[in-house]
Each structure stands twice: as structure tokens, then as C-alpha cells.
């Protein structure tokens, strides 16, 4: 697996985004970017997809630590969290597993930082 997933029922898409932002904030993450893929796909390709938003989440303390160990690790930041609409009104939230994404970098100290971020994102997914 390369993501931590949680399915939400009985909640609107906008409420799912708000809840996701709130839980991420409780774990020390801020949202740096928000990409509305539904609007983007419509504007660029004139195709319709279900609601799908990518949140670029960053824990500044962990990001700073990672960049001190490996300056080019910034190419893998921020940690993406997607909120997407599935069938029957189910909303799925998926957060990247930073340990899986950082395996391309051979730096054991960086893997330790990724492990800390992994724990925070996993906890966030569980708390949704």
C-alpha cells in the first residue's frame, strides 16, 4: 500500500474536506495547496469526473528536518492527501505513505523522519 485510506459516509464533500483539514492541523500539518481535479479536468479536457481534491499537506517541523538531511527531498513534498467522491455518496480520503514515497532516496536518517510523518498521517486517517 502507498496510501492510508478512510471512507466517510453521511457527510458532504465540503464537510469531508473541512474535517480532513482539521484533523491534519491537529497533527501539525498545514495545507499549502488545494487542487480541484474535477474543475481542472473539465477546464483542460472537457471531461466530467466525480468530486476530487488534492490537498498538499506539510508538517513544517518534519519538512525542515527532511530538507536538512536531504535537500532534494523537497521534490517529494508536500505530502498529498486526496479527498474524492465514490459511488453512493461515500467520500474517500487517502494520504500518501511517506515511507513508501521516500524509498527512492537511500538515506536511513531520512527514512526515520519519513517514519515519523507516516505515523502522523496514519493517525490522521484513523481519526477521520
Amino acid at each position: 500500500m502507498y496510501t492510508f485510506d478512510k471512507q466517510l459516509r453521511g457527510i458532504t464533500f465540503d464537510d469531508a474536506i473541512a474535517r480532513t483539514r482539521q484533523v491534519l492541523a491537529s497533527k501539525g500539518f498545514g495545507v499549502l495547496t488545494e487542487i480541484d481535479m474535477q474543475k481542472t479536468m473539465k477546464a483542460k479536457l472537457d471531461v466530467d469526473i466525480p468530486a476530487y481534491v488534492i490537498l498538499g499537506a506539510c508538517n513544517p517541523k518534519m519538512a525542515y528536518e527532511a530538507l536538512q538531511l536531504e535537500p532534494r527531498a523537497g521534490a517529494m513534498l508536500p505530502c498529498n492527501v486526496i479527498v474524492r467522491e465514490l459511488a453512493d455518496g461515500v467520500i474517500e480520503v487517502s494520504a500518501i505513505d511517506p515511507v513508501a514515497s521516500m524509498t527512492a532516496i537511500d538515506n536511513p536518517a531520512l527514512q526515520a523522519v519519513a517514519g515519523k510523518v507516516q505515523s502522523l498521517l496514519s493517525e490522521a486517517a484513523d481519526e477521520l
Side-chain angles (χ1 to χ4, degrees):
M1 289 296 293
Y2 57 92
T3 58
F4 302 107
D5 307 306
K6 180 75 171 228
Q7 291 189 353
L8 308 175
R9 291 171 171 74
I11 186 171
T12 68
F13 189 78
D14 288 339
D15 287 343
I17 290 175
R19 182 188 292 181
T20 301
R21 285 175 167 273
Q22 181 182 33
V23 171
L24 286 169
S26 76
K27 300 297 178 190
F29 292 88
V31 174
L32 303 177
T33 60
E34 181 172 328
I35 303 167
D36 186 327
M37 293 299 290
Q38 185 182 47
K39 287 181 182 175
T40 300
M41 292 296 120
K42 186 63 175 176
K44 301 292 184 184
L45 301 176
D46 195 28
V47 296
D48 295 309
I49 65 169
Y52 191 117
V53 169
I54 302 170
L55 302 174
C58 181
N59 181 305
K61 182 178 181 278
M62 297 289 102
Y64 178 74
E65 201 171 323
L67 293 173
Q68 296 306 299
L69 295 167
E70 188 71 44
R72 289 180 286 177
M76 298 179 174
L77 301 176
C79 295
N80 284 333
V81 178
I82 61 172
V83 181
R84 66 188 187 113
E85 185 176 42
L86 303 178
D88 300 325
V90 175
I91 309 298
E92 182 177 70
V93 179
S94 300
I96 187 68
D97 178 348
V99 170
S101 67
M102 293 287 180
T103 58
I105 302 172
D106 185 22
N107 183 327
L110 182 62
Q111 291 298 320
V113 174
K116 293 177 195 174
V117 178
Q118 178 189 55
S119 293
L120 292 170
L121 288 173
S122 176
E123 289 170 15
D126 289 343
E127 289 180 22
L128 284 168

